[in-house]
Amino acid sequence: MLGTALLLQTEVTLGDAVVGLERPLALVALPVVLVALWWLVVRGEGTASTRSRRLVLASRVVVAVLLVTAAAGPYTVVTRETTGDPRVTLLADRSESMAVNENVTDRLATRIEEQGVPVTVATVADGTQSPIGDGVAANLRENGSVVLVSDGRVTSGRSLGSAADLASSLNATVSTVDVEAREPERYVTVSGPAKAAAGVESTFLARVDGTELEENSRLTVTADGEEVLSREINGSGSVDFSYTFQSVGSHRITATVSGSDTFQQNNVYRKTVRVVQRPKILYVSRGSYPLRDYLSSLYDVEQSRTIPDNLDEYYAVVVQDTAANDLGNVDTLQRFVIDGNGLVVVGGDNSFENGGYEGSSIASMLPVTFGEASAGSATVVLAIDISGSAESGMRLQKSIALDALNQLGDENTVGIVAFNYQAYSVAEPQSLSENRGFLEDRIRRLQSGGATSIAAGLRGAEEMLGGEQGTVILLSDGQDDVGEAATVANQLGSRGTRVITIGAGRSVNERTLQRIASQSGGTYFRASETDRLRLFFGGSSRRFEGEGLTIVDPNSFITSGVTLESNPAAANDVAIRRGADFLVATNDGTPAVASWRYGLGRVATVTAYGADGTLDGLLQQPDSLLVTKTVNYAIGDPERKSEGVTDVSDTRVGESTTVVFRGRERPQSDAVEFRQTSTGVYQATLTPNETGFSRVMDATYAVNYASEYGAFGQTSELRSVVQATGGRQFEPNQAAEIAEFARQESTRVRTLEQSWTWLAILLALLLYFAEVVLRRLQVYRGRSRSESGLT
């Protein structure tokens, strides 16, 4: 249920107590009741004397007042102070990543006890295991308080955000001690493709990071023992490099960083690349275009003027500038894609709306429709994070929310949900053209506070949509456990509602927001990229204006790491189909690249092209990477048609990895035991305990240092936990302040709310029965000729 944004209550303060009415509108009935009583008792006919009538009227008035007051819900709120036993629970993080920080736990415990407050020290992380969130949760007590001495680097178990939510539900506080890094520590990582084609250049990124890096270090990278990079790194930094593997099979990349630091095991990072034969693709076109030669430099390409009857030998089909009537056997192409293969359709003067695609057999396979590409109307819910983690940047949060609202065209229907640990209805969905000012005012009035639950915000937005499809625009700093939120986002996506996330706040967890968006088929934008909302919701009143090609979703496989400099002169007139991914736009917002899944296969369209019908600058660096990755996306796994192939991903010490074998029979191995997961597919799981390169069957995989050695220094999430639970952030020398805080926390001021509805009803009943008894006595004594004297 959505919480209510406004509560209609009336309160007054009398001394140390607050007196209020839960439903003050009930008092409106009192004048009506009094008039009715006056008419019945005073003006009514009967034998009673004037004095009797006045007494009855007074009695009934008092009864009526008491009953109406009971209906209004009278209550009082008083505060009471209770003194408890002050005690400090220090939660000590003794994991390896804390070795670079000053060890303050034991000294701090001693100094707090010198202040007369007993201390209990509990270890919540040790060695290479850092289940800090679990440790905090295990030591929480209702109305209690804990002090965490940690860098906040969680490697397993629940997140700190989840632990903070539990603390808030228990009315407990979590405080932290600000520990500083004193020792230098650096680590190295390598990222890049896990598979590559023989003879094709692949690009990788090596990164050196750490803390207290005042000295330079040397980064060295080798591929199969051959040095490919040697660079001096000043502090931290990243270097990209390219390499071409000529032979098929598993190849090894090793990155090493030199320099004195605390740990040596994370100074080496290993990565494997499985090199396969160039996948075979079919190029279909009736013209002569440079794209054919470009593809031939990367893949095994065959060209045809039409789609043949048999496509079994190909991994993907690329169609360029071909009309629907000239495509050939589209039914075969459709089955080919549904079965798990790929299709890329490249535009031109003879394709899409110019080639009679609308209503043709190929139209249903494509992620775009034909006609005017401007965004239309939609139902949008803005879900705005107002939790404690957003408090320090709430002004920025509101500014970004207002900016996001400003990008939405008048044709849209917009509602607003605010959330911390629960969701609040701020404004029901309404026409933006008529209510833009009202919605802006509601955003400006938002106040922050409370723990963070992005999942609650998404559920609140879903409830506001009322079961209808729409779009949720989530504005948050992402400081929360991603698991539950990603699950809710996935559920929304499966029902046709996508989540667009916008990083809003001073410290944004982009990885969390990216995952939430991807789970629903949505997109993540930085705060500086809100103008791209016009691509989806701009309509006629908020048209997008860019310079050249614009990457709409930089987090997809196709666009990640891509830089665009070209500006093709033309584009086919298409619009994004519901459920498809809008990846690249032209300077006027027309889709240039889009993709989606069709059956088990993948389909992408490239609808921007040059004045001469070619892909123009898209085939020149750096833009050519977009074309390469689009075709690679369609190809998918370049070994999926092979048999007797073993595939295993790189992993870390103590973390499991999955071994996949494709073949007709179950493989036999002394190292692992395979189980069949589908026809011709067998899987096994292994967990290595040593770093290095290892082999299973015919596949090589890398085992790297434990996650504990992959990040150092305090995380920003610790500050969010403190704010969300009402704790404090202490310095290591503030033992006296910690002791005083413990005394304050043990002296609880409890707020007690007491409803007095029952008392008003009881008094009304007692008065009524007293009046009845009194009148019966008058009749008994002969002072009245009837029980009431009224008719």
Side-chain angles (χ1 to χ4, degrees):
M1 294 289 292
L2 289 178
T4 181
L6 296 173
L7 295 177
L8 187 58
Q9 292 182 324
T10 300
E11 294 182 344
V12 294
T13 302
L14 299 176
D16 295 332
V18 174
V19 180
L21 297 175
E22 293 182 359
R23 297 171 295 275
L25 285 178
L27 297 179
V28 175
L30 187 57
V32 178
V33 173
L34 295 180
V35 171
L37 285 174
W38 176 81
W39 181 266
L40 290 173
V41 177
V42 177
R43 297 294 301 273
E45 296 180 2
T47 60
S49 65
T50 301
R51 179 174 176 275
S52 295
R53 290 176 182 271
R54 289 175 179 175
L55 291 175
V56 170
L57 177 62
S59 170
R60 298 295 168 86
V61 165
V62 174
V63 170
V65 170
L66 289 171
L67 291 177
V68 172
T69 302
Y75 66 90
T76 58
V77 179
V78 295
T79 57
R80 293 181 180 176
E81 187 175 282
T82 59
T83 303
D85 181 22
R87 178 177 297 274
V88 173
T89 301
L90 277 183
L91 305 183
D93 180 355
R94 304 187 190 276
S95 62
E96 292 284 72
S97 65
M98 285 289 289
V100 302
N101 303 306
E102 181 184 7
N103 187 356
V104 302
T105 304
D106 296 335
R107 183 176 71 251
L108 188 60
T110 300
R111 292 181 176 176
I112 294 173
E113 289 186 331
E114 290 175 354
Q115 299 294 321
V117 176
V119 177
T120 300
V121 179
T123 299
V124 295
D126 187 47
T128 59
Q129 299 298 317
S130 293
I132 303 171
D134 288 344
V136 172
N139 287 276
L140 290 174
R141 298 292 182 270
E142 188 172 5
N143 298 320
S145 179
V146 297
V147 180
L148 179 61
V149 185
S150 171
D151 57 8
R153 302 287 176 180
V154 178
T155 61
S156 62
R158 74 170 73 201
S159 69
L160 286 177
S162 176
D165 290 342
L166 176 60
S168 297
S169 68
L170 295 173
N171 194 32
T173 62
V174 179
S175 300
T176 62
V177 177
D178 188 12
V179 293
E180 294 184 0
R182 297 293 180 90
E183 302 295 330
E185 176 55 33
R186 57 176 55 84
Y187 59 95
V188 61
T189 57
V190 177
S191 58
K195 291 187 178 181
V200 178
E201 185 178 75
S202 300
T203 302
F204 303 87
L205 182 72
R207 179 167 182 80
V208 176
D209 210 338
T211 184
E212 298 299 304
L213 301 180
E214 297 179 356
E215 298 181 0
N216 291 352
S217 60
R218 178 156 293 276
L219 171 65
T220 305
V221 180
T222 63
D224 295 330
E226 175 188 353
E227 184 177 293
V228 296
L229 173 68
S230 181
R231 184 78 58 86
E232 188 172 272
I233 303 295
N234 182 10
S236 62
S238 58
V239 181
D240 58 358
F241 63 95
S242 300
Y243 192 78
T244 303
F245 298 98
Q246 301 295 341
S247 60
V248 173
S250 296
H251 295 262
R252 306 179 178 190
I253 294 178
T254 304
T256 306
V257 61
S258 63
S260 59
D261 61 356
T262 306
F263 299 108
Q264 296 299 310
Q265 52 265 58
N266 56 4
N267 292 350
V268 178
Y269 193 90
R270 302 167 180 86
K271 178 175 176 56
T272 59
V273 180
R274 188 170 181 85
V275 178
V276 301
Q277 294 287 359
R278 295 190 180 195
K280 194 171 186 178
I281 66 173
L282 178 66
Y283 175 75
V284 178
S285 180
R286 298 197 167 215
S288 178
Y289 296 108
L291 178 60
R292 165 69 170 80
D293 296 331
Y294 179 81
L295 295 175
S296 296
S297 68
L298 302 173
Y299 314 103
D300 181 5
V301 179
E302 287 188 4
Q303 183 169 359
S304 175
R305 291 174 61 84
T306 61
I307 298 167
D309 294 337
N310 191 331
L311 296 170
D312 291 345
E313 60 181 318
Y314 305 110
Y315 283 80
V317 173
V318 178
V319 177
Q320 182 173 17
D321 196 27
T322 303
N325 292 334
D326 297 330
L327 285 173
N329 196 333
V330 177
D331 291 340
T332 298
L333 178 63
Q334 189 174 42
R335 290 193 297 272
F336 172 78
V337 176
I338 289 175
D339 288 342
N341 300 289
L343 170 65
V344 178
V345 181
V346 181
D349 293 333
N350 301 300
S351 59
F352 293 101
E353 82 285 1
N354 301 321
Y357 280 24
E358 187 170 7
S360 68
S361 299
I362 196 173
S364 63
M365 303 172 61
L366 303 180
V368 293
T369 58
F370 317 105
E372 187 178 354
S374 62
S377 62
T379 301
V380 179
V381 175
L382 292 178
I384 304 173
D385 186 351
I386 59 167
S387 64
S389 65
E391 184 174 4
S392 60
M394 198 61 204
R395 181 177 297 178
L396 176 63
Q397 203 97 335
K398 293 181 185 179
S399 175
I400 296 171
L402 290 169
D403 183 60
L405 183 66
N406 186 51
Q407 309 306 320
L408 309 185
D410 291 339
E411 299 90 339
N412 297 287
T413 299
V414 180
I416 301 175
V417 165
F419 69 92
N420 42 36
Y421 61 91
Q422 62 179 336
Y424 306 89
S425 175
V426 176
E428 291 296 320
Q430 50 202 279
S431 171
L432 189 55
S433 62
E434 300 173 356
N435 301 283
R436 188 180 293 273
F438 170 75
L439 294 173
E440 290 174 347
D441 180 68
R442 302 302 286 175
I443 291 174
R444 292 190 181 97
R445 290 174 178 268
L446 293 175
Q447 301 294 323
S448 64
T452 308
S453 175
I454 295 177
L458 293 177
R459 290 193 183 97
E462 180 184 22
E463 183 176 338
M464 181 169 282
L465 287 171
E468 300 295 326
Q469 293 183 349
T471 301
V472 178
I473 300 179
L474 174 73
L475 296 99
S476 174
D477 56 11
Q479 300 297 342
D480 186 27
D481 180 21
V482 70
E484 185 180 4
T487 299
V488 177
N490 182 269
Q491 294 169 349
L492 287 170
S494 66
R495 298 167 190 155
T497 295
R498 61 180 169 174
V499 179
I500 295 176
T501 58
I502 298 177
R506 300 190 183 280
S507 177
V508 176
N509 188 332
E510 291 192 336
R511 182 173 299 180
T512 293
L513 296 175
Q514 287 169 358
R515 184 177 171 191
I516 292 170
S518 66
Q519 286 293 311
S520 70
T523 306
Y524 166 71
F525 294 135
R526 293 185 174 90
S528 59
E529 299 172 334
T530 54
D531 63 320
R532 299 183 186 182
L533 291 171
R534 297 189 177 204
L535 294 166
F536 300 101
F537 312 108
S540 59
S541 63
R542 297 288 194 280
R543 290 194 177 275
F544 179 78
E545 296 180 1
E547 297 179 1
L549 296 178
T550 298
I551 295 178
V552 180
D553 183 359
N555 307 304
S556 74
F557 171 83
I558 292 177
T559 55
S560 62
V562 169
T563 300
L564 299 177
E565 297 179 355
S566 65
N567 186 15
N572 290 105
D573 195 8
V574 298
I576 297 296
R577 192 187 295 273
R578 177 179 287 275
D581 296 321
F582 190 177
L583 303 180
V584 180
T586 64
N587 56 8
D588 65 353
T590 301
V593 179
S595 67
W596 76 343
R597 300 299 296 264
Y598 184 76
L600 298 177
R602 308 178 183 195
V603 181
T605 55
V606 181
T607 48
Y609 59 97
D612 58 355
T614 70
L615 285 182
D616 198 19
L618 284 173
L619 294 183
Q620 309 298 322
Q621 291 187 349
D623 300 61
S624 58
L625 182 59
L626 176 69
V627 177
T628 302
K629 298 192 75 174
T630 300
V631 178
N632 285 345
Y633 165 82
I635 291 172
D637 184 356
E639 287 188 302
R640 68 174 181 275
K641 295 179 181 290
S642 303
E643 288 190 351
V645 173
T646 305
D647 192 12
V648 56
S649 301
D650 295 344
T651 186
R652 293 179 180 271
V653 169
E655 297 181 13
S656 63
T657 185
T658 301
V659 185
V660 180
F661 176 83
R662 293 184 179 89
R664 297 182 179 179
E665 297 181 356
R666 186 191 305 272
Q668 300 298 319
S669 172
D670 296 334
V672 292
E673 182 177 350
F674 286 89
R675 65 187 185 281
Q676 187 171 3
T677 58
S678 61
T679 303
V681 179
Y682 302 86
Q683 290 186 0
T685 302
L686 56 84
T687 304
N689 53 21
E690 292 183 359
T691 60
F693 290 103
S694 299
R695 288 183 65 85
V696 56
M697 307 289 285
D698 65 341
T700 300
Y701 64 97
V703 182
N704 285 297
Y705 52 82
S707 299
E708 185 67 29
Y709 303 106
F712 298 88
Q714 280 195 313
T715 65
S716 59
E717 193 173 6
L718 283 174
R719 188 179 300 107
S720 300
V721 171
V722 172
Q723 292 175 340
T725 62
R728 292 267 304 277
Q729 183 149 350
F730 298 101
E731 297 297 326
N733 60 354
Q734 290 185 311
E737 287 80 356
I738 295 175
E740 180 59 28
F741 182 72
R743 293 188 184 97
Q744 293 174 1
E745 288 297 294
S746 66
T747 303
R748 289 285 175 176
V749 177
R750 299 191 178 188
T751 300
L752 301 177
E753 182 174 323
Q754 175 67 55
S755 174
W756 297 104
T757 299
W758 64 273
L759 180 60
I761 294 175
L762 178 62
L763 291 175
L765 290 174
L766 290 176
L767 180 58
Y768 177 77
F769 285 121
E771 177 200 321
V772 170
V773 171
L774 180 60
R775 285 191 281 107
R776 283 182 178 271
L777 289 175
Q778 288 179 330
V779 172
Y780 177 76
R781 293 175 180 176
R783 296 181 180 179
S784 176
R785 287 177 289 177
S786 68
E787 293 185 3
S788 65
L790 303 172
T791 58

